[in-house]
Amino acid sequence: MTSTLPVVGSARRWLVLTVLLLCFLPAAMDVTILTIAVPTLADELHASPTELLWIVDVYSLLMVGLVLVTGPLGDRIGHKRLLMIGLTVFGAASALCATASQPLTLVGSRAVLAVGAAMIIPATLALIRQTFTGDRDHAVAIGAWSAVAASAAALGPVAGGILLNHFWWGSTFLVNLPILAVAMPAVALLLRNKVEAERQPWEAVSPILSIVGLLGTAYAIMAFTHDGVGLVEVALPGAVGVTSLVLFVRRQQRTRHPMLDLSLFRLPLLRAGVVASVLPVLVMIGFELQLVQYLQFAEGLSAADAAMRLLPMPVAAVVAGLAGGLIVSRMGPRVGVPAGLLLAVAGYTLVASGMTVPLGLAMIGFGHGLIQTVASILIMTTAPSEQAGAAAGIESVAYEVGAGMGIAIFGTITTVIYRVLLPPGSASSSPLSAGDSPDTAQALTDAFQATTWIAAVLTVVTIFLATPRAMRKA
């Protein structure tokens, strides 16, 4: 049975937005909150470098395929109901993660956490679309959602470091529960469930192909640097992953009802928005993981001290996200995209050169907060209104692909450079043990600086890829 739209009054719309952002916050923050706990997990769970990467990365990689299923599910059962189910699963999985006693148990619990997050993310986007029908208000609302996405990614390690300073590593998951305890009753009271009249067909092959493709590709990238791993162990999962991704794209192009509508990529502004979402997220989250490892393993900082060093990033990201909607509404994306990317490039340059690091981190946070907001607005407002659900799916997939592959790619790059720079005869082949001696700590320092220069270069490349002629006229 179809009900009326969720809200009518202007004041209530903004209250609904606040609640939806509260629902989205823990799902977004859990992408990065564990990065600062890597040394603790290595020590207390005796997790290997491979297990640590999967503990951090499985959450984002699984969500890419899962959101392809949960988006159409929301059309069938209503996005409010989907959100409530997602919040319930997310809360239960948070408790499972906090009580995990072995690395593989934590990987599995993080996978269940991804199931809940994969319901929360498209549901919040769809409910924002239902609630804000005017272009201007919708752009501001999407800007606020994007601000949470960007700031939460930067805030995750800071929150994790503060929690680790007072509690055990499981607290990084239990912190979700009080947020959910407030959000779930608010959703139940404020929103009504709206079932879409036209429902997208539901099929399992596409999400399976995307999950296998990304997991296989990420595994090959991460396994490349592991000791004792042969060529076949890298090439086989890599080939399976790439083949699955190719089959996924072909299936979306040929089916009458694609789960990821690639026809939207014909729109230059939307295509630019996807590029401006995937690559900067990939760079920022990959960089942030390496920064956290450098601060703890090379400089020997505690989790709390490392968190304080990171603080300029989330603060600046929040400010930029809030300002992003206003910048786009007044000046258009032609200003927001290059401005955000150039600020990030300047920030990476300062950090890589070791000059004014807090200012550099603030510039990185502000730049990425701005570009993520602009990218989300481009994706969600360029698509025709009847394809809003498809645009929300693209937005969700773009963010999670960037996050998952950023951890895998930058982790591998840093490890390769670190090993090249290691003193002859060193027994420390992993950056996770770089603090064992001054020589290995120096190798990690140099590797981190080189990786940061690579982040700057990739961001410069993004400027050219994400500002097509159509955007320059926007």
Side-chain angles (χ1 to χ4, degrees), residues 37-84:
V38 165
T40 305
L41 294 173
D43 182 48
E44 297 189 12
L45 293 185
H46 307 291
S48 68
T50 305
E51 290 169 334
L52 290 170
L53 281 174
W54 281 112
I55 288 170
V56 173
D57 213 12
V58 70
Y59 178 77
S60 295
L61 292 174
L62 273 182
M63 265 198 285
V64 175
L66 293 172
V67 294
L68 299 178
V69 178
T70 55
L73 178 61
D75 293 339
R76 289 170 175 267
I77 68 173
H79 291 286
K80 174 192 172 180
R81 186 169 293 137
L82 178 68
L83 179 58
M84 291 294 286

Side-chain angles (χ1 to χ4, degrees), residues 343-397:
L343 274 173
V345 170
Y348 288 126
T349 301
L350 286 175
V351 173
S353 60
M355 299 184 300
T356 323
V357 172
L359 176 61
L361 292 178
M363 294 173 74
I364 291 170
F366 194 96
H368 281 288
L370 179 58
I371 191 62
Q372 188 62 42
T373 300
V374 178
S376 296
I377 292 173
L378 280 171
I379 293 170
M380 295 303 298
T381 59
T382 301
S385 58
E386 65 272 14
Q387 291 180 285
I394 290 174
E395 163 76 4
S396 303
V397 167

Side-chain angles (χ1 to χ4, degrees), residues 77-445:
I77 68 173
H79 291 286
K80 174 192 172 180
R81 186 169 293 137
L82 178 68
L83 179 58
M84 291 294 286
I85 295 172
L87 293 170
T88 303
V89 172
F90 195 86
S94 296
L96 288 175
C97 289
T99 55
S101 58
Q102 297 180 350
L104 291 181
T105 306
L106 185 53
V107 171
S109 300
R110 286 273 284 172
V112 179
L113 198 71
V115 175
M119 299 180 188
I120 294 169
I121 292 174
T124 53
L125 281 169
L127 288 166
I128 286 173
R129 184 74 183 195
Q130 290 178 1
T131 305
F132 294 89
T133 53
D135 289 342
R136 183 180 177 85
D137 285 351
H138 182 254
V140 173
I142 289 297
W145 187 94
S146 305
V148 171
S151 58
L155 181 62
V158 176
I162 294 171
L163 289 167
L164 286 173
N165 190 47
H166 296 90
F167 309 101
W168 94 113
W169 63 265
S171 63
T172 59
F173 296 103
L174 292 183
V175 72
N176 296 329
L177 300 184
I179 298 175
L180 300 182
V182 174
M184 293 181 71
V187 170
L189 291 172
L190 284 172
L191 294 171
R192 297 176 185 173
N193 202 50
K194 179 180 182 293
V195 178
E196 297 295 336
E198 296 183 7
R199 303 176 185 178
Q200 183 177 347
W202 209 20
E203 52 102 0
V205 176
S206 292
I208 289 174
L209 285 173
S210 67
I211 290 173
V212 171
L214 284 168
L215 288 178
T217 304
Y219 178 87
I221 293 171
M222 291 187 284
F224 176 75
T225 59
H226 295 161
D227 293 329
V229 175
L231 180 61
V232 174
E233 294 174 80
V234 175
L236 183 58
V240 171
V242 171
T243 301
S244 298
L245 291 176
V246 170
L247 291 175
F248 170 78
V249 171
R250 294 184 65 182
R251 185 175 182 84
Q252 303 314 296
Q253 291 174 331
R254 294 180 178 182
T255 184
R256 289 183 58 189
H257 301 284
M259 302 196 84
L260 192 67
D261 192 350
L262 300 181
S263 68
L264 288 173
F265 282 82
R266 298 191 188 109
L267 303 172
L269 290 179
L270 185 139
R271 190 166 61 244
V274 172
V275 173
S277 178
V278 173
L279 290 181
V281 166
L282 184 153
V283 171
M284 184 191 73
I285 290 183
F287 161 78
E288 192 171 31
L289 175 60
Q290 305 318 307
L291 174 59
V292 167
Q293 290 187 5
Y294 160 72
L295 291 174
Q296 293 183 85
F297 290 111
E299 293 201 0
L301 297 183
S302 67
D305 289 339
M308 290 301 101
R309 291 276 193 96
L310 294 170
L311 195 57
M313 281 184 68
V315 171
V318 170
V319 174
L322 295 175
L326 295 175
I327 291 173
V328 174
S329 63
R330 293 187 178 186
M331 301 182 182
R334 68 184 184 278
V335 174
V337 169
L341 292 170
L342 285 171
L343 274 173
V345 170
Y348 288 126
T349 301
L350 286 175
V351 173
S353 60
M355 299 184 300
T356 323
V357 172
L359 176 61
L361 292 178
M363 294 173 74
I364 291 170
F366 194 96
H368 281 288
L370 179 58
I371 191 62
Q372 188 62 42
T373 300
V374 178
S376 296
I377 292 173
L378 280 171
I379 293 170
M380 295 303 298
T381 59
T382 301
S385 58
E386 65 272 14
Q387 291 180 285
I394 290 174
E395 163 76 4
S396 303
V397 167
Y399 183 85
E400 299 306 334
V401 167
M405 297 309 292
I407 292 170
I409 292 171
F410 272 75
T412 298
I413 290 172
T414 300
T415 301
V416 169
I417 298 174
Y418 169 78
R419 289 182 176 177
V420 169
L421 298 174
L422 272 178
S426 174
S428 175
S429 61
S430 170
L432 300 182
S433 57
D436 291 347
S437 72
D439 289 340
T440 54
Q442 183 60 50
L444 178 56
T445 299

Side-chain angles (χ1 to χ4, degrees), residues 6-23 128 131-132 141 182-183 185-187 189-191:
V7 291
V8 292
S10 177
R12 193 176 177 186
R13 284 188 302 163
W14 298 107
L15 179 59
V16 167
L17 176 63
T18 301
V19 171
L20 292 175
L21 296 181
L22 186 65
C23 294
I128 286 173
T131 305
F132 294 89
V182 174
V187 170
L189 291 172
L190 284 172
L191 294 171

